[in-house]
């Protein structure tokens, strides 16, 4: 897969391209978020959930779900003129883990979507980005009818570092998605500055 440059140096034609991953557990709303914010028609790789998959596809809590991502989602948004974000949505199910390393190459950071009905499902994403030193923001997707938890409670439950932003969102709302992406880019830039300072001392 061709990698997308995700440093903050503009290309010769003046556009800075940043690669962002949208991760999180099965059914947390990754495909929905990429589709909501993308300014191009998003690429999706959705397949029907089938009776055969029932023993391995745990749809408890998302019983209305009919399809699942089997490779990736792809979208693009210009946060401002000259700053393009390329969004790569990961597949949520364990059996597609093998594509994650490839997808993560060259990424500036990640959004980790969390569903508080199945919070533990986002642990593997959190571990993945922590282990690789990839900055991430946790976005709690507030599905209707579910209990709303304060961001600090979610941070404690996930045992996150206090520097990791935790935000509430509705993955279907474009404005929420944009806000998350802005926070992520700011967080990644702050993380990089802190690392550079530490290296200089
Ligand atoms: N009510 C509500 N439904 C949502 C929201 N976000 C996603 N959904 C629905 O929840 C289901 C799961 O969303 P997806 O975007 O497919 O989730 P996903 O994380 O891409 O799922 P996988 O690729 O299978 O891991 C879909 O039926 C969406 O329409 C939300 O914020 N509120
Ligand atoms: Mg999906």
């Amino acid at each position: 897969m061709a990698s997308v440059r995700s440093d903050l140096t503009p290309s010769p034609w003046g556009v800075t391209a940043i690669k962002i991953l949208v991760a999180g557990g099965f059914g947390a709303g990754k495909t929905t978020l990429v589709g909501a914010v993308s300014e191009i028609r998003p690429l999706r790789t959705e397949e029907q959930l089938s009776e055969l998959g029932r023993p391995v596809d745990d749809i408890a809590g998302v019983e209305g779900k009919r399809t699942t991502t089997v490779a990736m989602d792809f979208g693009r948004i210009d946060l401002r003129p000259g700053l393009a974000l390329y969004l790569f949505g990961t597949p949520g199910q364990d059996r597609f883990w093998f594509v994650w390393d490839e997808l993560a190459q060259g990424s500036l950071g990640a959004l980790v979507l969390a569903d508080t009905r199945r919070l533990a499902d986002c642990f593997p994403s959190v571990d993945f980005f922590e282990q690789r030193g990839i900055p991430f923001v946790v976005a709690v997707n507030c599905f209707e009818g579910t209990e709303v938890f304060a961001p600090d409670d979610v941070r404690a439950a996930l045992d996150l570092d206090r520097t990791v932003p935790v935000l509430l969102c509705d993955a279907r709302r474009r404005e929420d998605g944009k806000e998350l992406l802005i926070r992520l880019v700011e967080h990644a830039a702050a993380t990089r500055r802190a690392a550079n300072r530490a290296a200089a001392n």
Side-chain angles (χ1 to χ4, degrees):
M1 189 179 304
S3 69
V4 173
R5 294 173 71 246
S6 68
D7 54 60
L8 296 177
T9 315
S11 63
W13 52 94
V15 175
T16 300
I18 295 179
K19 180 179 183 181
I20 300 286
L21 293 194
V22 180
F26 174 51
K30 302 174 291 294
T31 300
T32 303
L33 186 137
V34 172
V37 296
S38 183
E39 291 164 347
I40 59 169
R41 201 168 107 208
L43 169 81
R44 292 182 174 150
T45 58
E46 296 276 286
E47 291 294 340
Q48 293 289 326
L49 287 164
S50 67
E51 278 305 315
L52 273 180
R54 225 165 249 290
V56 273
D57 300 333
D58 174 14
I59 61 166
V62 285
E63 286 80 2
K65 196 162 166 48
R66 296 281 170 266
T67 59
T68 190
T69 302
V70 295
M72 65 173 204
D73 305 302
F74 177 74
R76 174 191 159 137
I77 176 174
D78 289 344
L79 266 196
R80 57 172 164 74
L83 180 60
L85 302 193
Y86 289 88
L87 309 176
F88 290 76
T90 60
Q93 298 183 75
D94 306 350
R95 56 195 158 112
F96 300 120
W97 264 105
F98 62 94
V99 298
W100 279 58
D101 272 316
E102 181 92 28
L103 283 180
Q105 273 186 40
S107 59
L108 180 88
L111 291 180
V112 174
L113 276 164
D115 175 351
T116 54
R117 296 167 299 183
R118 305 151 58 100
L119 196 58
D121 288 8
C122 72
F123 281 143
S125 303
V126 167
D127 286 346
F128 181 90
F129 298 119
E130 282 180 348
Q131 280 169 18
R132 287 161 182 78
I134 297 174
F136 63 95
V137 164
V138 172
V140 180
N141 192 9
C142 301
F143 289 82
E144 297 95 353
T146 61
E147 192 177 344
V148 178
F149 294 90
D152 279 344
D153 293 340
V154 175
R155 178 194 312 285
L158 292 174
D159 195 21
L160 297 174
D161 190 274
R162 64 181 171 75
T163 59
V164 176
V166 179
L167 302 163
L168 306 183
C169 74
D170 181 332
R172 298 165 301 180
R173 293 194 58 223
R174 181 178 157 71
E175 285 310 310
D176 285 15
K178 273 186 82 170
E179 178 65 30
L180 289 167
L181 291 168
I182 290 167
R183 284 296 296 274
L184 174 59
V185 171
E186 288 172 352
H187 174 57
T191 306
R192 186 175 286 193
R193 278 197 301 273
N196 287 345
R197 270 199 305 274
N201 290 330

